[in-house]
Amino acid sequence: MINHEHYSYRVIWSAEDQEFVGLCTEFPSLSYLDVDRINALEGITNLVKEVVADMEANGENIPEPISEKTYSGKLLVRIPPELHRQLAREATEEKISLNRYISNKLAY
């Protein structure tokens, strides 16, 4: 059973709507507008709760919360050979492995 409170929520200001927008990363098609930031968060949380309950009742696949997924830490990225050479050179100059160098660059 999925706990709707474990999803990734955020609230942003919409200049176009002149309201706060509650969003859920795992349900990108859902949003909730409110003039109050806290109400926008509560609104999207309740909306997701309703959607998850409906999906469960209909036997649909429910997205797993990102916070509960496991990741291997491995990421395959294709880059142009020239960039690969440049990054390898920079890593060598820093006296660290290419993997560590790229990991450090991604962290910033």
Side-chain angles (χ1 to χ4, degrees):
M1 180 169 218
I2 300 286
N3 185 335
H4 73 281
E5 293 183 357
H6 294 183
Y7 286 114
S8 305
Y9 296 100
R10 65 187 166 122
V11 176
I12 61 171
W13 174 254
S14 170
E16 179 181 339
D17 298 307
Q18 290 295 296
E19 292 184 294
F20 290 98
V21 184
L23 302 166
C24 179
T25 303
E26 293 86 350
F27 291 90
S29 63
L30 300 180
S31 63
Y32 190 91
L33 291 166
D34 201 287
V35 295
D36 182 81
R37 183 177 51 84
I38 300 300
N39 290 343
L41 179 59
E42 289 177 9
I44 189 64
T45 303
N46 290 331
L47 180 58
V48 168
K49 179 181 180 180
E50 293 170 11
V51 169
V52 168
D54 186 55
M55 291 176 79
E56 280 180 343
N58 291 312
E60 297 178 47
N61 289 332
I62 302 167
E64 182 180 1
I66 291 172
S67 62
E68 295 178 357
K69 288 184 179 182
T70 56
Y71 294 89
S72 67
K74 295 178 185 177
L75 178 67
L76 176 62
V77 179
R78 297 192 189 285
I79 59 174
E82 303 79 28
L83 179 57
H84 192 164
R85 179 177 291 109
Q86 175 188 340
L87 292 169
R89 184 179 61 250
E90 291 170 4
T92 301
E93 289 170 355
E94 295 284 328
K95 296 182 175 55
I96 57 176
S97 71
L98 178 57
N99 187 66
R100 175 62 57 115
Y101 184 74
I102 292 172
S103 179
N104 289 346
K105 289 191 84 69
L106 288 172
Y108 298 103

